[in-house]
Amino acid sequence: MTEILKEITAAEEKAAQIKAEAQVKAAKIAADAEAASAAVAKHSEAECKAYRESVLKKAETDGEKLYNSETKKKRAEAKAYADKIISESAGVADEIAERVARGGC
């Protein structure tokens, strides 16, 4: 009977030791996971920031190109319109100048 009690006591001590070792190992795993999580979060934050800056720069460049293109197109349209109006009014301006010069306004 004493032998059985010794074996039970030894088994309980072994179980306690295994449990303690498992708790230490679990704590280390949790700490490592926390550190890895923080590293991933920091890396992701930096990666997202770089991506955001890249996208904003591209959007700015694309917007500037579109603005310049549309401005160039509208300037050409405005010049064509102005040239048309000037050419259409050239005869009228000459006629008015002749009348003024003749004194027949």
Side-chain angles (χ1 to χ4, degrees), residues 4-81:
I4 294 175
L5 289 176
K6 285 182 184 179
E7 288 180 23
I8 292 173
T9 304
E12 288 175 345
E13 288 174 359
K14 180 77 172 172
Q17 181 183 5
I18 291 171
K19 181 180 177 183
E21 289 172 0
Q23 287 175 334
V24 169
K25 189 174 182 179
K28 184 180 181 326
I29 290 170
D32 290 348
E34 189 68 32
S37 173
V40 167
K42 186 174 182 180
H43 177 73
S44 295
E45 183 179 339
E47 198 172 278
C48 287
K49 182 178 179 183
Y51 180 71
R52 179 179 178 266
E53 289 173 2
S54 170
V55 168
L56 287 174
K57 186 170 182 159
K58 184 179 181 333
E60 185 178 317
T61 302
D62 290 349
E64 190 173 327
K65 285 179 184 176
L66 180 60
Y67 173 82
N68 290 338
S69 171
E70 290 298 317
T71 301
K72 184 177 180 181
K73 190 184 332 179
K74 292 301 178 182
R75 279 188 183 145
E77 288 176 14
K79 184 180 181 330
Y81 176 74

Side-chain angles (χ1 to χ4, degrees), residues 80-97:
Y81 176 74
D83 290 346
K84 178 184 169 205
I85 296 299
I86 289 171
S87 70
E88 289 175 358
S89 64
V92 174
D94 290 342
E95 183 181 329
I96 292 171

Side-chain angles (χ1 to χ4, degrees), residues 93-105:
D94 290 342
E95 183 181 329
I96 292 171
E98 284 179 32
R99 286 184 182 176
V100 169
R102 285 185 303 196
C105 300

